[in-house]
Amino acid sequence: MFLDGLLKLYNAHSGMINRVSLTIIIGFIVLFFITRITKRWLKNKLLPQSLLVLQKVINYGGFVIVLLVVMQQLDIRLSAFFGAAGVAAIAISFAAQNSLSNIISGLFLLWEKPFQIGDLIEVENKSGIVFSMDLLSVNLRTFDNRLIRIPNEQVMKANFTNITRFQIRRLDLNIGISYNDDVDQVFNILKDIAVKNPYCLDEPEPVLIFKGFMDSSQDILFGIWFEKTDYMVLRNSILKEIKRRVDEEGIEIPF
């Protein structure tokens, strides 16, 4: 009986059901191709995070258009729907103030472009590579492969640091030597280490500053410039070489 009832219902409304099904299928196919074409056309014109947000706007907007067309085909009164939607929107707006604030902050971040996908940033002692960015949050991937989600509003209010914004960076090392050692000799050793290290840039030149006399050491600032992608290999190699050379030259690093 149940199957007979469904069959009669389908026969009575088969035309409408077919139109609605065709509308949904065609709508989502068109939406798929619009998204693909937009991505290819704007891939080299927009930043990755801007392109990602644009794709989401197209998907959500297309879904709403398909839904409205289907409702019209089903003879659902759109005026009543919009009236109910307006009441619901007012109720939701009170509960979604934080979300609205995050959306506005996300738009400001897209406009200012302080970072992009792939940059290494630090936000309130949380650091990681920007994995994705949407209308509500920024997602970071940490070095131990964890995901950190930070609301856009929090990013806007925080004093965040973009560590890899520029192509070259400087690694600053504070080196303390004994009062019995010659500062000029140590300067020459450090210059030689920088020249021989393949990851240390010749231009800008390394920075050597005698910082002054501390309780148990003479302190030197040794700053070397490098390509941002070479941070780990430079840091490891330069520290090992400093330790080896000061041991060879009899330079004492106090406790």
Side-chain angles (χ1 to χ4, degrees), residues 169-173 222-226 231 234-235 238:
R169 292 177 53 198
R170 195 178 78 188
L171 173 64
D172 288 342
L173 300 174
F222 182 34
I224 52 255
W225 295 90
F226 62 96
Y231 173 76
L234 171 73
R235 183 178 177 85
I238 207 80

Side-chain angles (χ1 to χ4, degrees), residues 141-155:
R141 179 170 60 84
T142 64
F143 293 111
D144 56 354
N145 220 28
R146 293 181 296 169
L147 182 69
I148 298 178
R149 180 184 179 275
I150 306 176
N152 288 333
E153 183 182 15
Q154 184 178 340
V155 177

Side-chain angles (χ1 to χ4, degrees), residues 1-54:
M1 295 293 292
F2 178 71
L3 293 178
D4 291 339
L6 286 179
L7 185 60
K8 291 179 180 179
L9 182 63
Y10 175 77
N11 291 332
H13 302 281
S14 59
M16 179 185 297
I17 294 174
N18 290 335
R19 287 198 305 271
V20 170
S21 301
L22 189 62
T23 299
I24 293 174
I25 294 172
I26 293 177
F28 281 105
I29 290 176
V30 171
L31 185 59
F32 173 77
F33 280 106
I34 290 176
T35 304
R36 292 288 299 273
I37 293 171
T38 302
K39 183 177 180 180
R40 290 184 180 181
W41 183 42
L42 298 176
K43 185 176 182 180
N44 298 323
K45 299 179 181 180
L46 294 178
L47 293 175
Q49 62 265 31
S50 300
L51 184 59
L52 184 63
V53 172
L54 179 60

Side-chain angles (χ1 to χ4, degrees), residues 3 11 21-22 25 37 39-40 42 46 62-63 65 73-74 94 108 125 137 148 157 160 183 204 211 222-223 237 241:
L3 293 178
N11 291 332
S21 301
L22 189 62
I25 294 172
I37 293 171
K39 183 177 180 180
R40 290 184 180 181
L42 298 176
L46 294 178
F63 177 79
I65 292 174
Q73 290 178 339
L74 293 174
F94 287 104
F108 275 110
N125 298 322
S137 63
I148 298 178
K157 291 181 178 179
F160 68 86
V183 173
K211 296 179 64 176
F222 182 34
S237 61
E241 185 61 18

Side-chain angles (χ1 to χ4, degrees), residues 170-212:
R170 195 178 78 188
L171 173 64
D172 288 342
L173 300 174
N174 289 305
I175 301 172
I177 61 173
S178 168
Y179 277 98
N180 296 324
D181 294 317
D182 182 25
V183 173
D184 289 333
Q185 179 189 5
V186 176
F187 270 34
N188 291 331
I189 293 172
L190 295 177
K191 287 178 182 177
D192 186 58
I193 291 173
V195 169
K196 293 180 179 178
N197 190 294
Y199 304 106
C200 180
L201 299 178
D202 297 328
E203 184 63 36
E205 295 182 351
V207 175
L208 284 165
I209 299 175
F210 181 46
K211 296 179 64 176

Side-chain angles (χ1 to χ4, degrees), residues 10-11 36 80 88 107 109 115-116 137 157 188 194 230 232 236 239:
Y10 175 77
N11 291 332
R36 292 288 299 273
L107 294 175
L109 289 174
F115 54 80
Q116 58 184 344
S137 63
K157 291 181 178 179
N188 291 331
D230 295 334
M232 292 302 298
N236 286 334
L239 288 174

Side-chain angles (χ1 to χ4, degrees), residues 11 82 98 168:
N11 291 332
F82 286 129
N98 289 336
I168 64 172

